[in-house]
Amino acid sequence: MYLLDTLREGLAELDSRGLRRHRRIAETACAAHMRVDGREIVGFASNDYLGLAAHPALAAAVAEGAERYGAGSGGSHLLGGHSRAHAQLEQTLAAFCGGFVDAPRALSFCTGYMANVATLTALAGRGTTLYSDALNHASLIDGARLSRADVQIYPHADTDALAAMLDASDAGVKLIVTDGVFSMDGNVAPLATLLALAERHGAWLVVDDAHGFGVLGPQGRGVVAELALRSPHLVYICTFGKAAGVAGAAVIAHETVIEWLVQRARAYIFTTASPPAVAHAVSASLELIRGDEGETRRAHLRALIERTRAMLRASHWQPVDSHTAIQPLVIGDNETTLALAARFDAEGLWVPAIRPPTVPVGTSRLRISLSAGHSFDDLARLENALSRIEAGGNA
Ligand SMILES: Cc1ncc(COP(=O)(O)O)c(C=O)c1O
């Protein structure tokens, strides 16, 4: 009883601070227009940036993959679960995203969370100093903690502060770790400067491009390709549950780094490989992403982003300067943010309230997330609601 009471108290405290989260039930495929909890809504909550999650070609690829390989992989990658579908996906990815390094190789994972934990725990350990951006994703934070490295957090995107920290370091191994596109702010990390610092200080640079892959760069190759960075000390992580519309992730790096992960990354070794059908569908998604359809979808998304930026600038809201599909409106406290999200919900618009610990205390926000699946009519509905709803949450 005592333990349950402790949990009940904890839950009551979450309620009282506006921090309890509730799952909503999607009754149709993830898309701009979907039925959620029995109501038709326009969704601005997903990370399905290219609108591929409900693409018939990907649903067909899952079915084809399941027919060929069955439902599950049956084992870990090192014990029977590594299929031709995984191998093919890794080969394609190394060629697609590995232009930043000679001898690139890719390693596929069930999720981005696991890829991040695996990479940081395998590359960092006691005696390593890991430099982490203050706004990095939770999976990077957890990987850093699990690695047992000395973790130093540098102020968000502050390369001067990081340079000073690196100057003062005598660590044997150094890792700089950053989101490519910050998931709750939409801004792009100063990667060129981070890489220059890494090279100068003999450090690795690990870039989690969960929100850039598929969207940024030539053919959607991601943020590292967009900036044309090159280095054997770069480790690039992309995920497939967002723009690619499926699930999973991959780490791409010099072949020696990848071989080290295969041998030493516990989050890779001690878990069942993803269903091969999923890897097969990701390969199909890559075909779409790098082809004409991907190009068309990215162009439409860019147009939606520009329209949204103009609309927000002209409104009474205070947008942040984001050029990506992530367009947050920072509100401040939890209760006001929740009240505002409820107002949008009443208008049939799903604009989620993002609260701590996802974002720092006092910076709760509405996160508008755009998708190539949106039409300009969807944006007009959003604009209408934005103009009628007061930023203070009471109107
Ligand atoms: C920046 C970032 N990295 C990693 C992840 C984890 O990826 P996955 O959902 O595939 O576990 C996410 C989101 O979920 C993310 O936003």
Side-chain angles (χ1 to χ4, degrees), residues 47 110-114 116 137 139 179 181 183 208 210-211 239-242 248-249:
N47 299 312
C110 297
T111 70
Y113 188 102
M114 292 165 75
N116 284 346
H137 187 259
S139 53
D179 282 19
V181 174
S183 54
D208 169 6
H211 298 273
T239 69
F240 309 129
K242 303 181 196 301

